[in-house]
């Protein structure tokens, strides 16, 4: 299970490199804006340090100053005067999370086609998106192949040599992923997947309603 921390901030930093190495938070839009919610596309400048919306993503630099998710913009700026607030894109009076969803899809694509994986192994890696910034990765099939090769290449007393031979013969996926096995990914689980679009937008709306 991969849960990408402060993901919205990282997406905004890729779009605007001036946000690197400074305290940053992505802030919710104001649903009570006079005259209705102003539309802000993903491509335009959306930095708004006067915003008092609730924070939905906070960089590590800001966290060191006590800034936390769901905190209001004004309080966050009191704790960290240099905090840069970036409002989420909006469209049709709602948050438009397309920018973040597309970035999440890129991550899934990288996991499926990582350069260190052979084409055969990559085809057997199963991924299941749980939300905009979460994905389950099932590497059971390639891992079992590697283990079977390991067992076939050496008797129990020669495990060390067999392990080295198997590693050379069937290179396993490498890398470090934090997570657990509480929910293996499954092919064909479309009907059980969370609808991240609705959930994230509903969560964002609930944050504002609760704070106001």
């Amino acid at each position: 299970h991969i849960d990408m921390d402060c993901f919205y901030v990282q997406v905004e930093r890729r779009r605007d490199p001036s946000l690197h190495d400074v305290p940053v938070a992505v802030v919710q839009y104001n649903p009570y804006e006079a005259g209705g919610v102003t539309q802000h596309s993903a491509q335009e400048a959306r930095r708004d340090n006067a915003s008092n919306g609730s924070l939905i993503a906070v960089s590590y630099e800001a966290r060191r100053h006590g800034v936390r998710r769901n905190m209001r913009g004004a309080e966050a700026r009191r704790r960290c005067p240099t905090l840069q607030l970036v409002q989420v894109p909006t469209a049709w009076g709602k948050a438009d999370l397309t920018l973040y969803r597309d970035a999440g899809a890129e991550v899934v694509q990288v996991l499926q086609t990582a350069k260190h994986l052979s084409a055969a192994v990559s085809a057997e890696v199963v991924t299941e998106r749980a939300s905009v910034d979460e994905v389950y990765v099932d590497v059971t099939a390639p891992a079992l192949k590697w283990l079977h090769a390991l067992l076939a290449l050496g008797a129990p007393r020669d495990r060390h040599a067999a392990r080295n031979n198997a590693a050379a013969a069937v290179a396993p996926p490498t890398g470090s992923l934090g997570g657990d096995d509480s929910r293996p990914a499954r092919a064909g689980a479309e009907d059980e997947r969370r609808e991240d679009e609705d959930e994230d937008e509903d969560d964002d709306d609930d944050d504002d309603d609760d704070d106001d």
Side-chain angles (χ1 to χ4, degrees), residues 1-5 107-108 111 126-139 176-185 194 199:
H1 174 232
I2 299 174
D3 187 347
M4 294 170 277
D5 203 12
V107 174
V108 173
L111 292 171
V126 181
T127 60
E128 178 184 344
R129 287 188 70 182
S131 69
V132 170
D133 57 359
E134 287 184 87
V135 61
Y136 292 92
V137 183
D138 186 349
V139 295
S176 176
L177 300 177
D180 56 50
D181 59 356
S182 59
R183 185 182 177 190
R194 276 201 321 233
E199 179 184 64

Side-chain angles (χ1 to χ4, degrees), residues 51-74:
S51 173
N52 195 36
S54 59
L55 309 188
I56 59 177
V58 179
S59 73
Y60 290 110
E61 294 88 350
R63 294 179 194 184
R64 286 196 285 269
H65 293 270
V67 178
R68 296 290 180 265
R69 190 174 181 273
N70 294 327
M71 188 177 286
R72 286 288 182 174

